[in-house]
Amino acid sequence: MSDFSYRRLDGENYDINKVKQIIKDENVKFIKLQFVDINGHVKNMSIPSCHIDKILNNEMMLDGSSIKGFRSIETSDMYFYPDINTFTILPWRTRDDSKAARLICNIHNADGTPFEGCPRCNLKRLMKEAEELGFSMNIGPEAEFFLFKKDKDGNITTIPNDKAGYYDLGPTDLGENVRGDIVATLQQMGFDIEASHHEVADGQHEIDFKYSDILTTADNVSTFKIAVKAVAEEYNLHATFMPKPIFGINGSGMHCNISLFSGNKNAFLDENALYKLSNEATWAIGGLLKHVRGFTAITNPTVNSYKRLVPGYEAPVYIAWSLANRSALVRVPAKRGNATRVELRSPDPSCNPYLAFAVILQACIDGVKNKIEPPSPVESNIYQLSSRERELQKIDTLPGSLEEALFELSKSNVAKEALGEHIYNEFCQAKRKEWDSFRTYVSSWELDRYLDTL
């Protein structure tokens, strides 16, 4: 690999001359213009680096009608508006003569206005609205993933690459070297890695990177997924962020550590308050708990997501909050000071991070604006409570299926405001088709259960 440092210094901003110099010094041949669709899938257009002036002058066009959920064929002309500070060389493309760099882009309409269906533009809209109220949001995600073997023909299997458990180490943890290379790759791209370890299930792993503002973190989650898959491929393994790929073992979540800031001050901290949590913190918790059923379709957007959200596998199911109790949906980690935060434990890594962070931000801001008081914290193990005990404590549950989650989304004005009309309509249309496809599909479970008995 090159000796080039891909990391920008804290507070450093790129300009076109800096980018041009890096392209020249590092012999970068291609620039990948990246963006995400409504489902959170990363898309890109590869442009020879000699066109960097046109790229940074927002002259590169996109056929929006070719991207699901974007534009109709009658109004398909759109433009890439790259964020110059996302420029970085792709480390897994530095081993030959075709080095590539990427720029994460906003998608704009032909008249230059931000496209209302661009998830990144939509998140920036909400950030601006929050800033007008005096707040910004930081998020630190904990995205889990599985590493599966491939067969002799290169086909993906669901055979885990190891049989290790939580915090195990080599030689039992066969993913140790893969994780090490993933961490090194991410660090070259500017990530501040805080921890990596084996997770509970066979072949399951977690790599945590430092929190940042929600736009940067959404960019980082998308980059993280690409990097994990690229490095796994070098080991002839398949990395998946599918929430529940194997029945009977833990699924993969993406816990989100959330804090609101007012300028440089953590708005969740009050040294003199109960639990040292400010009113803004408790109101934000109240907003999350009130609106979570309405935004679960966004944070858990697949049919498979609801195979994870069941009791017995450490995934949160019950709508409650606590200080230490990991059976609650929202938990407040013990650390205080600038690290004061709340942890929302329901999201999974199949979500579109730009949309997920949008609805989380909107729910918290609504809680603060309307001073929504949460119920008392629940410190008992909610998994062990009977349905009657949960009923007495008014502990509700998350939606149990994508169908139920979409119904709850249809009733949530907060979630609709967070998404905007275009994204809301396109998302719901796509997800209803997904649910209908699942609902009408005859599965192997049904054939095994009924074919020879009925």
Side-chain angles (χ1 to χ4, degrees):
M1 286 189 181
S2 166
D3 291 331
F4 172 71
S5 174
Y6 307 105
R7 179 195 297 271
R8 288 187 297 114
L9 299 175
D10 287 344
E12 178 188 5
N13 289 318
Y14 278 161
D15 60 28
I16 190 168
N17 292 324
K18 176 71 172 177
V19 168
K20 283 182 173 180
Q21 190 63 48
I22 295 171
I23 290 171
K24 179 181 178 182
D25 292 347
E26 292 300 309
N27 194 28
V28 174
K29 299 294 187 183
F30 297 97
I31 308 295
K32 292 182 175 291
L33 303 183
Q34 290 185 359
F35 65 102
V36 298
D37 64 14
I38 287 176
N39 289 320
H41 298 150
V42 177
K43 308 288 186 179
N44 84 99
M45 177 184 287
S46 186
I47 308 293
S49 61
C50 59
H51 297 304
I52 188 62
D53 286 306
K54 292 175 65 177
I55 290 170
L56 294 177
N57 199 36
N58 310 320
E59 295 180 33
M60 306 310 300
M61 293 185 69
L62 164 73
D63 177 7
S65 66
S66 299
I67 307 299
K68 283 188 177 180
F70 270 30
R71 284 289 189 204
S72 66
I73 198 167
E74 297 88 356
T75 57
S76 60
D77 285 346
M78 312 183 84
Y79 285 86
F80 290 99
Y81 274 57
D83 182 339
I84 195 169
N85 288 314
T86 66
F87 178 86
T88 188
I89 294 175
L90 301 176
W92 53 89
R93 289 294 305 274
T94 61
R95 297 178 182 175
D96 53 34
D97 294 328
S98 58
K99 282 186 186 177
R102 74 93 201 271
L103 283 163
I104 295 176
C105 300
N106 304 301
I107 303 302
H108 283 224
N109 297 310
D111 63 1
T113 58
F115 171 45
E116 64 273 21
C118 170
R120 198 172 192 269
C121 289
N122 181 69
L123 182 56
K124 290 173 70 176
R125 170 182 68 86
L126 292 175
M127 292 171 67
K128 184 177 180 180
E129 292 176 3
E131 286 168 5
E132 290 171 355
L133 297 172
F135 294 106
S136 61
M137 177 174 278
N138 287 338
I139 284 188
E142 302 171 12
E144 298 166 342
F145 58 94
F146 281 87
L147 292 176
F148 289 134
K149 296 179 181 179
K150 295 183 179 181
D151 65 19
K152 59 182 178 61
D153 297 318
N155 299 311
I156 300 167
T157 74
T158 53
I159 302 171
N161 73 307
D162 62 46
K163 298 289 185 182
Y166 200 45
Y167 285 162
D168 277 353
L169 68 163
T172 307
D173 175 10
L174 300 179
E176 201 168 46
N177 290 337
V178 189
R179 284 203 314 275
D181 275 2
I182 293 171
V183 167
T185 297
L186 292 170
Q187 287 175 326
Q188 287 179 313
M189 298 184 76
F191 281 65
D192 186 349
I193 303 298
E194 295 190 327
S196 69
H197 61 87
H198 200 286
E199 260 295 339
V200 174
D202 294 352
Q204 189 183 35
H205 306 269
E206 179 177 311
I207 298 173
D208 301 329
F209 49 88
K210 188 177 180 180
Y211 70 88
S212 188
D213 66 89
I214 52 177
L215 183 65
T216 300
T217 304
D219 289 342
N220 286 344
V221 170
S222 297
T223 299
F224 174 79
K225 291 182 180 181
I226 297 171
V228 168
K229 287 179 175 290
V231 175
E233 191 69 30
E234 293 180 356
Y235 284 80
N236 197 34
L237 296 171
H238 176 70
T240 181
F241 292 91
M242 184 177 178
K244 187 82 168 186
I246 302 177
F247 171 74
I249 63 175
N250 287 29
S252 291
M254 190 179 78
H255 302 167
C256 291
N257 294 276
I258 305 159
S259 56
L260 286 178
F261 272 68
S262 180
N264 293 322
K265 181 180 180 294
N266 189 328
F268 279 4
L269 176 67
D270 184 345
E271 292 285 359
N272 300 314
L274 183 65
Y275 313 128
K276 296 187 178 181
L277 294 177
S278 68
N279 287 331
E280 286 79 6
T282 56
W283 294 333
I285 292 171
L288 288 171
L289 296 181
K290 178 178 179 179
H291 298 301
V292 67
R293 283 182 58 85
F295 68 65
T296 294
I298 305 300
T299 55
N300 307 82
T302 69
V303 167
N304 184 255
S305 295
Y306 299 86
K307 306 294 177 72
R308 167 182 169 257
L309 293 178
V310 295
Y313 298 97
E314 299 186 13
V317 179
Y318 303 112
I319 302 174
W321 76 284
S322 76
L323 297 178
N325 179 9
R326 294 177 184 271
S327 66
L329 175 75
V330 174
R331 187 178 74 91
V332 181
K335 202 165 186 181
R336 290 295 180 266
N338 228 32
T340 304
R341 62 194 187 275
V342 300
E343 179 188 43
L344 179 65
R345 298 171 59 81
S346 56
D348 70 54
S350 70
C351 71
N352 180 332
Y354 299 94
L355 301 187
F357 298 167
V359 295
I360 289 171
L361 173 62
Q362 194 78 349
C364 288
I365 292 296
D366 186 71
V368 172
K369 283 171 58 178
N370 294 296
K371 300 181 179 179
I372 299 173
E373 292 288 348
S376 299
V378 178
E379 299 305 337
S380 56
N381 187 338
I382 306 175
Y383 297 140
Q384 295 179 354
L385 298 179
S386 67
S387 58
R388 177 60 177 162
E389 289 171 324
R390 293 195 300 272
E391 184 180 346
L392 289 173
Q393 295 188 47
K394 297 182 179 179
I395 299 174
D396 204 353
T397 63
L398 292 177
S401 68
L402 180 60
E403 179 185 40
E404 184 182 354
L406 290 171
F407 175 71
E408 293 295 327
L409 175 61
S410 72
K411 299 189 299 179
S412 174
N413 289 330
V414 163
K416 289 179 182 178
E417 290 168 6
L419 300 175
E421 183 178 4
H422 182 100
I423 292 177
Y424 170 76
N425 288 334
E426 293 293 337
F427 179 89
C428 288
Q429 182 181 28
K431 290 301 169 178
R432 289 190 185 109
K433 287 181 179 179
E434 182 178 336
W435 175 255
D436 282 341
S437 176
F438 170 75
R439 181 180 61 82
T440 58
Y441 180 74
V442 180
S443 67
S444 58
W445 183 93
E446 294 166 277
L447 294 174
D448 292 341
R449 190 172 184 89
Y450 302 125
L451 189 60
D452 65 348
T453 61
L454 298 178

